[in-house]
Amino acid sequence: MRGTWKPGGVTHVARRIKMLLVLAAACALAACGGGGGSSTVNTALLVGTFAINLSGGQVDQNSGGPASIGGTGGKFIAYSSARSDLKIHAGGSVDASFTVPAYSYNFGGNPVINPVATNGVIDVKVITGTAAQGVLYMHANDTNLYLGTGTGTDNPVTGLTVPAGTTMNFDANFGTGTQVTLINAVVINGTVQPSTATTPNLALTAGSLQINAGGKVTAAAKDLSATNGGNLTLVTTNGVVVNQGTIDCSGTNGGSAGNIVVHARTLLFNATNGLAGGSGTISARGGDNAGGAGGTGGVISLFADAGSFCTSGIVDVSGGNATQGAGNGGAAGSIQFVAGDTAADTVPDANDTIGKVAVEGTVTANGGNAAAGNGGNGGTITQISHAQPLLANVAIIGASGGNGGGAGSRGGDGGGLNLFNLLAFDPATGLNASPQGIKVAGPISLNGGTGTSGGNGGTIFVKSKASPNALPGSATVEFFGYGFGINLNGGKGSLVDPTAGGTGGDGGMFAASLASAVTDGVTLPAGGVYNEVTITARGGDSAKGASLLGGAGGIVTMQSPIANNTVDPNLTVVVNSGAIDVSGGAGGNGGTAGTVTMSGYGKVTNSGSITGLGGDGTSQGGNGAKGVVLSAAIDITNSGFITISGGNASSGTGGKGGSVQMTAGHQTVNGSAFVVSGTISSAVSANGGAGTVKGGDGGSINLLSQTIATSNLGTLSAVGGGGATIGGKGTIVIDGVNIAI
């Protein structure tokens, strides 16, 4: 069956964990749908055309000025331990598909199946005493739902189906909301909601819960003739939650959304149903507003307490737009997908069990746009699996900041995406099952919004960590199909007019870090970093004003340990074939380029180009990359073209060349050309007087081997830049010997 998976690699010392039942159910289930609906592999998006966008927001040309600043690029941080690799592929794909079987539910000894409605409405009132035969009712401070018998005796309902085309309204039985509990299954084909906006909160507990296509559980403002949404809590005590309909607590007319919490005792599915047309939508959006600020998005927390979580539908906590008049865009809320735990934490505890996360569809937490105000900040999306893998093949993951509008506005900051694959814990044995890795495909966008000043790019944090007392599985972190690269650029200080605007934002940070780990008393070596895609962390261009700086280039680090860790020369490596660019932005003064670091124990192999140019400037060119460092305890092999020259200056001084350092414990082999020259400054011509313009000084190249002499087959250049005064020569040193320039 498509959508099944193998636990492959869960260690023998952890197999006593209470996981066999969960895994068997997860393999049999694989996604959503009353009546056998299924998700599909994301074939609409071509492999190799995805990008990860974490760039800072740009300055709006209509409102930007000298005080404006482009947003700083975001951060991509990945961590894995113990024989686990980080791999970023230009091609490939991920199968995160899953299928939900048709369940045969138990409705108990006193079920209510398709109760009769009056004009399509069933009102569940809170009363004292009992009701007439066939009437549903509740008591204050009592979570039971009762069916009238006409005999004066309360008769608790054990299970329920709500028919299509019917709205069931619940009066509040606790304070400002309704709490209702049924010990067996609830199936919803119609609508379930609080009765009024003054009591907008609804908590429904059942043995199992299924919302079919066309079904809805809502505390949304529009359904309650209100502005703010209410809160929804859906809990199952024994079985699954399946949503192929709608769960909604969104605001309207600038109102804030409520919060949604779903706890499935075993597995939780939110999915499309192709056969029945269900959307599988869970929404807590802030309301749009045509006369003020947009509403704030809510919090959606989806927990498969002791099983797997799968979605191919829509999950949305975006902030509302401020479409007209003065007002800020609404901030997005947050989203949590958790499998195998009752809380969204990363600390091992007695609640952790086996659970896979499989994500398709759309997951959005975007900040709202503003016509005359600040953009809302993007929200945070957290996905946590335990022992079983975290798989994502998405239509989009979006948590970008909203665009600001009007003078003095600021774009919203991009949000966060946390991907955690953690160990599972067995309190009976005190043993753990290690994570089985993370695999991701599909476009990801956490950009900062535009405005008079741009918002900052967001942050991706990825962690897959082995267990301290169980042999690891295959906790490798892999990204597939990112042929359009990872973009961490600073926002431009001017979108269109190079003479108007402000300062460019700084480039962001890419950091891949691996470590060894002590597992079951055995120290296991770290894995390797493998990258095939373009990584850009350029500083943003500023406007051309004399005092405006181009943004500084960012930081790129690929690090597998070379000291104080257990290593394996065949595993603890860095292999890069993607182009890397940490150049500074252009401006009145060019921005300084950033840094690139690759370090590993076994071998560092680079075949991608590394570019760290200083930004071009009017009066001053920016300096080239202040550090391109490749280091290995064994070998370095470089065949990529490295260019870290200073920036040009059209009427001033050129920037200085940067520095390259390669240090290998065994041998350094270089087979490409380096250019670290200071660049040529333009001649200055001004009638009536003479000026002096200096070229930037050359930079430095240092190649060192500690066992076998360095092998250099490339052209090395560190000359000064031209100008009225030529820049000074740089230095080239090979194995401690200064080479004449």
Side-chain angles (χ1 to χ4, degrees):
M1 176 197 322
R2 222 183 70 187
T4 62
W5 65 88
K6 297 179 181 179
V10 176
T11 158
H12 67 283
V13 298
R15 286 178 179 167
R16 286 171 287 175
I17 296 178
K18 299 174 290 184
M19 68 180 181
L20 295 179
L21 179 61
V22 175
L23 290 177
C27 290
L29 294 185
C32 296
S38 65
S39 72
T40 57
V41 176
N42 189 351
T43 56
L45 298 170
L46 297 176
V47 170
T49 61
F50 306 137
I52 297 174
N53 292 314
L54 307 171
S55 293
Q58 300 180 345
V59 173
D60 189 320
Q61 69 268 22
N62 295 318
S63 61
S68 300
I69 302 174
T72 300
K75 299 177 181 179
F76 182 105
I77 302 171
Y79 172 83
S80 187
S81 67
R83 293 195 302 182
S84 302
D85 300 325
L86 170 66
K87 298 180 178 180
I88 305 176
H89 304 281
S93 61
V94 175
D95 184 359
S97 61
F98 56 91
T99 301
V100 169
Y103 285 103
S104 297
Y105 291 114
N106 175 17
F107 293 95
N110 187 37
V112 174
I113 307 299
N114 295 333
V116 176
T118 301
N119 298 320
V121 177
I122 300 172
D123 289 322
V124 180
K125 299 293 186 181
V126 175
I127 64 174
T128 57
T130 60
Q133 184 173 359
V135 175
L136 292 169
Y137 66 95
M138 299 187 74
H139 292 314
N141 301 314
D142 181 351
T143 64
N144 287 309
L145 176 66
Y146 296 102
L147 179 66
T149 62
T151 65
T153 301
D154 289 328
N155 191 16
V157 176
T158 57
L160 175 68
T161 66
V162 179
T166 297
T167 297
M168 182 174 287
N169 296 313
F170 282 90
D171 280 359
N173 58 342
F174 285 87
T176 61
T178 301
Q179 299 178 33
V180 57
T181 300
L182 296 90
I183 62 174
N184 295 108
V186 172
V187 175
I188 298 172
N189 297 298
T191 297
V192 173
Q193 65 183 35
S195 60
T196 70
T198 58
T199 56
N201 305 314
L202 173 64
L204 172 62
T205 300
S208 299
L209 173 64
Q210 180 152 330
I211 305 168
N212 286 324
K216 180 165 67 172
V217 178
T218 180
K222 63 182 177 60
D223 295 320
L224 304 179
S225 300
T227 300
N228 297 322
N231 299 317
L232 294 173
T233 302
L234 306 176
V235 177
T236 59
T237 55
N238 300 307
V240 300
V241 172
V242 177
N243 177 50
Q244 294 175 313
T246 300
I247 304 172
D248 191 3
C249 64
S250 298
T252 190
N253 295 326
S256 296
N259 300 323
I260 297 172
V261 177
V262 180
H263 275 279
R265 181 66 187 93
T266 55
L267 300 108
L268 195 163
F269 302 102
N270 178 61
T272 56
N273 186 332
L275 298 176
S279 62
T281 298
I282 303 178
S283 181
R285 289 180 55 94
D288 293 342
N289 195 347
T296 301
V299 176
I300 294 179
S301 301
L302 307 178
F303 297 90
D305 292 350
S308 294
F309 168 84
C310 303
T311 179
S312 62
I314 297 168
V315 182
D316 191 358
V317 294
S318 296
N321 299 315
T323 59
Q324 298 179 29
N328 298 329
S334 63
I335 296 171
Q336 299 171 342
F337 300 156
V338 181
D341 200 355
T342 59
D345 61 55
T346 60
V347 179
D349 57 42
N351 294 319
D352 298 339
T353 185
I354 304 296
K356 164 184 167 181
V357 169
V359 180
E360 291 186 313
T362 300
V363 184
T364 47
N366 296 316
N369 299 322
N374 299 327
N377 292 335
T380 299
I381 300 168
T382 299
Q383 302 178 20
I384 303 175
S385 66
H386 289 81
Q388 282 295 295
L390 190 161
L391 305 174
N393 181 30
V394 297
I396 182 70
I397 291 179
S400 293
N403 296 329
S409 67
R410 188 181 187 280
D413 292 337
L417 173 62
N418 299 318
L419 304 174
F420 299 147
N421 184 216
L422 306 175
L423 58 88
F425 181 72
D426 182 2
T429 64
L431 299 175
N432 297 314
S434 284
Q436 299 296 299
I438 297 171
K439 300 182 188 301
V440 180
I444 300 173
S445 181
L446 281 71
N447 290 324
T450 63
T452 301
S453 287
N456 298 326
T459 298
I460 294 178
F461 183 43
V462 184
K463 181 168 82 169
S464 185
K465 188 175 182 180
S467 161
N469 60 359
L471 294 175
S474 177
T476 293
V477 175
E478 295 186 84
F479 289 77
F480 291 92
Y482 289 95
F484 284 11
I486 300 174
N487 301 307
L488 306 156
N489 300 315
K492 293 183 178 180
S494 177
L495 280 175
V496 176
D497 185 353
T499 65
T503 299
D506 294 341
M509 179 177 71
F510 174 96
S513 178
L514 303 176
S516 61
V518 177
T519 300
D520 213 26
V522 178
T523 302
L524 299 173
V529 179
Y530 301 83
N531 176 60
E532 300 173 357
V533 309
T534 299
I535 301 172
T536 59
R538 295 176 56 94
D541 294 343
S542 74
K544 299 300 183 181
S547 62
L548 297 178
L549 291 172
I555 299 169
V556 174
T557 302
M558 302 178 188
Q559 186 171 12
S560 192
I562 61 175
N564 300 321
N565 281 270
T566 296
V567 292
D568 183 325
N570 296 314
L571 299 175
T572 312
V573 299
V574 173
V575 179
N576 177 66
S577 59
I580 297 173
D581 191 348
V582 292
S583 297
N589 293 327
T592 299
T595 62
V596 177
T597 302
M598 299 180 191
S599 64
Y601 178 81
K603 194 169 186 177
V604 170
T605 303
N606 177 60
S607 59
S609 62
I610 299 176
T611 304
L613 298 171
D616 291 340
T618 303
S619 57
Q620 176 68 58
N623 293 335
K626 49 194 172 184
V628 173
V629 178
L630 279 61
S631 60
I634 299 181
D635 289 327
I636 295 171
T637 299
N638 176 66
S639 58
F641 194 83
I642 299 177
T643 306
I644 55 172
S645 301
N648 299 323
S650 60
S651 59
T653 301
K656 297 178 180 179
S659 65
V660 173
Q661 175 77 44
M662 293 189 185
T663 304
H666 186 250
Q667 186 183 33
T668 295
V669 177
N670 176 59
S672 70
F674 292 88
V675 179
V676 294
S677 307
T679 59
I680 299 173
S681 297
S682 300
V684 177
S685 298
N687 292 332
T692 59
V693 179
K694 184 180 183 298
D697 295 338
S700 65
I701 301 170
N702 192 337
L703 310 182
L704 177 63
S705 300
Q706 294 177 302
T707 304
I708 297 176
T710 294
S711 172
N712 177 55
L713 304 176
T715 301
L716 308 181
S717 176
V719 300
T725 300
I726 304 297
K729 295 179 180 180
T731 59
I732 299 174
V733 178
I734 300 178
D735 293 340
V737 178
N738 283 293
I739 306 301
I741 298 177

